[in-house]
Amino acid sequence: MGLTSQTTVYAMVALAAVCVALLVWTWPRFAKPGVLHILGRLGAIGVTQIAIVAAFACAVNSSYQFFGSWNELLGNGDTSAVGVTGAAADANGGAAAGISTAAGSLVQPNGTDQLNRVSGLPNGPAAVVGRVQSVKVIGKTTGVVDPAFVYLPPQYFQKAYARQRFPVIVALSGYPGSIFNLAQYLRVSQTAGDLQKKGQMQPTIMVMIRPTVAPPRDTECVDVPGGPQTETFLAKDLPTAIKSAYRAGHDSTAWGVMGYSSGGSCALQLAMRDSNVYTTAAGLSPDYYVKDDPTTGNLFGSGPGRQDRVNGHNLMWRLAHMPAPNISVLVANSKHGERGYANTQAFIKAVKPPMRVASIEPDNGSHNFPTWVREMPATLKWMNDQLTFPQDVVPRHIPGKKPAGGKPSPKPGHSPLRAEGTEPPRATATSRK
């Protein structure tokens, strides 16, 4: 039985019910004085509580897909590159666009169990509604293997755009979230598709991926000394893999990164630390520093360089002590219902040119998906204004002729927006001088 299957959930619920029934049935036998009977009562209560908690945990994990398999739960997830025997097929019966069947390819087809459970995905010809693919991204430098969903807009499959490159937005889940959460609960591809259909967002490739590259450890987008190299995977391996498999823009002005909770923290970290890769970032309910806790273990190692590594991942420290990068960032936090609003205001005030900042500040909202879903349309439209399109064209390989190419269009300006009424919150551009 798979960890996320309904059969597992029903079995755990049944086991919990049996334990409760046995506890009630056998309790009179333990209701006697003596050490053995006391130990019997404690053991019966303990086993019953463990069964109930396990059933609840299985049900929650099945819904939110925190861990996709027993191996991931036990920390034995797949981290090695694998060969491919066949390409995934799309709804039109053809091979999935962009995915190579070569054993050494950096983007390979993955199972569709999680993808099949996502509601509201494109249904119809790819050139009309687009396509979402389930893939594995292979880290050429780090050796990390991470599952991802990739949304390709309808234009990607249209002849008029056959040689066109597209901007890319990388969407990161929180901890211990999964790509299923990004697709089903944050509705990344569905929202992007709706905005593009309405002409409110340019055709964009959306890459949904988790920053938890060594589950169940939370590596917080840090290159851990002697451990998982999460930042290198997301800042180097992921762009390299996507560019090798899809017609993605090659210029950094074509790349943005966003996320919620710790994924939002990671997005800001990547843009501020790797501005040559990501020039735009959005953090929904982020933190602005990284610290060790029971889920992370020792992220920064020991020795004389530890404090420098800690400071390097403290965004407030970076703003105070290092030159500001030439990037655009958006931060979102509710005025009431979330604990990070004061920190978000402090971050906004600390930003200085050439860095630019915008914000989404709903009056009310908790640290949960309903809040982030409300913020998604404004977030994606804001990111759309920062990324360049059209991108350079894919060169024609014609003997004796110089490959064709183009220059990215100028970066659009920033339009201030204001949230009003009960509509989804909008981004408010704030330039700090």
Side-chain angles (χ1 to χ4, degrees):
M1 293 185 295
L3 178 60
T4 61
S5 71
Q6 291 299 307
T7 303
T8 301
V9 175
Y10 294 147
M12 294 304 298
V13 170
L15 178 62
V18 169
C19 287
V20 171
L22 288 175
L23 176 65
V24 174
W25 179 261
T26 60
W27 189 258
R29 299 184 182 183
F30 297 125
K32 296 178 182 180
V35 175
L36 291 179
H37 290 91
I38 292 174
L39 292 176
R41 291 196 294 270
L42 292 175
I45 293 173
V47 170
T48 302
Q49 288 182 332
I50 290 173
I52 293 173
V53 171
F56 178 77
C58 278
V60 172
N61 186 68
S62 180
S63 296
Y64 289 93
Q65 302 280 308
F66 295 129
F67 299 99
S69 68
W70 294 104
N71 280 333
E72 282 190 8
L73 180 64
L74 298 174
N76 299 320
D78 183 7
T79 59
S80 60
V82 295
V84 178
T85 56
D90 64 20
N92 297 317
I99 306 178
S100 172
T101 58
S105 62
L106 300 179
V107 177
Q108 303 178 359
N110 197 17
T112 58
D113 290 346
Q114 290 193 74
L115 190 61
N116 291 338
R117 298 182 59 191
V118 178
S119 61
L121 294 180
N123 184 19
V128 177
V129 298
R131 181 70 70 246
V132 178
Q133 298 176 347
S134 177
V135 302
K136 279 184 178 180
V137 177
I138 313 300
K140 186 177 182 179
T141 302
T142 61
V144 168
V145 179
D146 211 18
F149 292 152
V150 178
Y151 166 75
L152 302 173
Q155 290 83 354
Y156 192 92
F157 302 93
Q158 296 172 6
K159 291 183 178 180
Y161 293 82
R163 296 177 55 242
Q164 192 73 55
R165 300 189 190 277
F166 293 81
V168 179
I169 294 178
V170 176
L172 303 173
S173 65
Y175 176 82
S178 70
I179 55 176
F180 178 82
N181 291 355
L182 291 166
Q184 176 66 18
Y185 297 109
L186 196 60
R187 305 190 71 74
V188 171
S189 58
Q190 298 91 321
T191 304
D194 289 342
L195 291 175
Q196 292 172 29
K197 187 184 301 182
K198 296 174 183 177
Q200 298 176 349
M201 183 178 178
Q202 60 198 1
T204 304
I205 296 173
M206 307 293 297
V207 180
M208 292 161 271
I209 198 164
R210 61 181 187 182
T212 308
V213 301
R217 186 179 185 182
D218 179 14
T219 52
E220 289 281 349
C221 289
V222 172
D223 280 349
V224 181
Q229 303 294 287
T230 310
E231 181 179 5
T232 297
F233 173 75
L234 293 172
K236 185 175 182 179
D237 286 346
L238 177 62
T240 297
I242 296 300
K243 291 174 185 177
S244 73
Y246 301 99
R247 299 196 310 278
H250 284 188
D251 193 85
S252 61
T253 60
W255 282 75
V257 58
M258 63 162 292
Y260 65 88
S261 191
S262 62
S265 307
C266 181
L268 298 179
Q269 295 268 347
L270 288 170
M272 292 186 66
R273 290 175 56 86
D274 301 279
S275 57
N276 60 319
V277 180
Y278 300 102
T279 57
T280 300
L284 309 183
S285 307
D287 287 322
Y288 302 97
Y289 60 92
V290 176
K291 64 178 181 179
D292 294 341
D293 63 35
T295 66
T296 65
N298 185 352
L299 292 174
F300 303 105
S302 57
R306 174 181 167 83
Q307 192 57 49
D308 289 340
R309 290 189 287 270
V310 172
N311 290 340
H313 286 276
N314 185 322
L315 301 187
M316 297 300 293
W317 186 92
R318 295 183 70 90
L319 289 173
H321 297 90
M322 299 182 68
N326 185 16
I327 60 173
S328 298
V329 300
L330 178 144
V331 288
N333 224 291
S334 301
K335 297 178 181 178
H336 304 285
E338 292 191 272
R339 294 179 296 179
Y341 183 71
N343 292 337
T344 292
Q345 290 301 301
F347 176 83
I348 292 172
K349 292 177 182 178
V351 171
K352 53 192 175 184
M355 186 173 171
R356 299 160 296 280
V357 63
S359 64
I360 297 176
E361 304 172 20
D363 287 334
N364 295 281
S366 300
H367 193 86
N368 57 25
F369 283 108
T371 297
W372 300 323
V373 167
R374 289 183 62 226
E375 296 165 348
M376 272 295 292
T379 299
L380 290 180
K381 285 192 283 188
W382 176 86
M383 296 189 77
N384 168 81
D385 289 340
Q386 318 309 312
L387 302 178
T388 56
F389 185 89
Q391 289 299 307
D392 52 317
V393 296
V394 178
R396 294 182 187 274
H397 297 288
I398 302 177
K401 288 191 176 182
K402 188 176 181 180
K407 296 182 179 179
S409 61
K411 196 168 188 176
H414 302 166
S415 302
L417 302 172
R418 184 183 301 274
E420 297 181 0
T422 58
E423 296 180 357
R426 298 179 179 181
T428 302
T430 309
S431 296
R432 309 303 304 181
K433 296 182 180 179

